[in-house]
Amino acid sequence: MKAPLLVMSLLGASAIASAQPMASPSSADIPTRPEALVYDELSFAVPDGNTLRHELENGIIAYVAPDHTFPLVEIRLLLRQGSYLEPNDKIGLASLTGSMMRSGGTEKMEPAVFDEEAEFLAA
């Protein structure tokens, strides 16, 4: 089984300290028809994944993309799991595993408390 893929985006606090409040547009600035809207040209360069790729000591591959626009840290986990990986003779295994993880609890947490915590963290 391959190691799960970990994607991280690190955002810094420097932009908030120097952020200026946005001016409210006046009614004269707002076009009266959608076709009158004007957009700046979109400029996007695909980042080089090799410069963002890091292999952790446990074999998990992590892609770290720093972005200092906001003081946030965003972590996304992409796991190779789900019903599409089920063997033909074990249909429903992924669904059963997910249900048991949510309703089984832990050594220190009752099932209902664990389910509530998991729901809160998933939102």
Side-chain angles (χ1 to χ4, degrees):
M1 182 174 153
K2 294 184 178 177
L5 177 70
L6 173 66
V7 179
M8 297 177 62
S9 176
L10 305 177
L11 307 167
S14 60
I16 293 300
S18 63
Q20 299 296 323
M22 291 181 59
S24 299
S26 69
S27 60
D29 297 333
I30 301 173
T32 57
R33 306 269 314 146
E35 54 273 359
L37 291 169
V38 178
Y39 298 98
D40 294 335
E41 185 176 335
L42 179 62
S43 174
F44 177 75
V46 177
D48 178 17
N50 292 328
T51 61
L52 305 175
R53 186 179 194 274
H54 304 280
E55 184 168 347
L56 305 179
E57 290 178 11
N58 59 4
I60 292 178
I61 304 300
Y63 288 87
V64 181
D67 181 350
H68 302 284
T69 308
F70 297 107
L72 302 171
V73 173
E74 178 179 336
I75 299 175
R76 295 182 189 176
L77 297 175
L78 304 175
L79 306 172
R80 291 180 184 98
Q81 64 182 15
S83 59
Y84 76 97
L85 293 172
E86 291 176 338
N88 289 334
D89 61 338
K90 295 183 180 178
I91 301 297
L93 180 63
S95 178
L96 176 65
T97 303
S99 297
M100 292 305 296
M101 287 173 61
R102 293 292 296 269
S103 63
T106 70
E107 290 180 7
K108 298 179 182 178
M109 202 179 293
E110 293 294 318
V113 175
F114 175 78
D115 187 53
E116 188 174 325
E117 288 290 322
E119 184 69 31
F120 172 76
L121 294 172

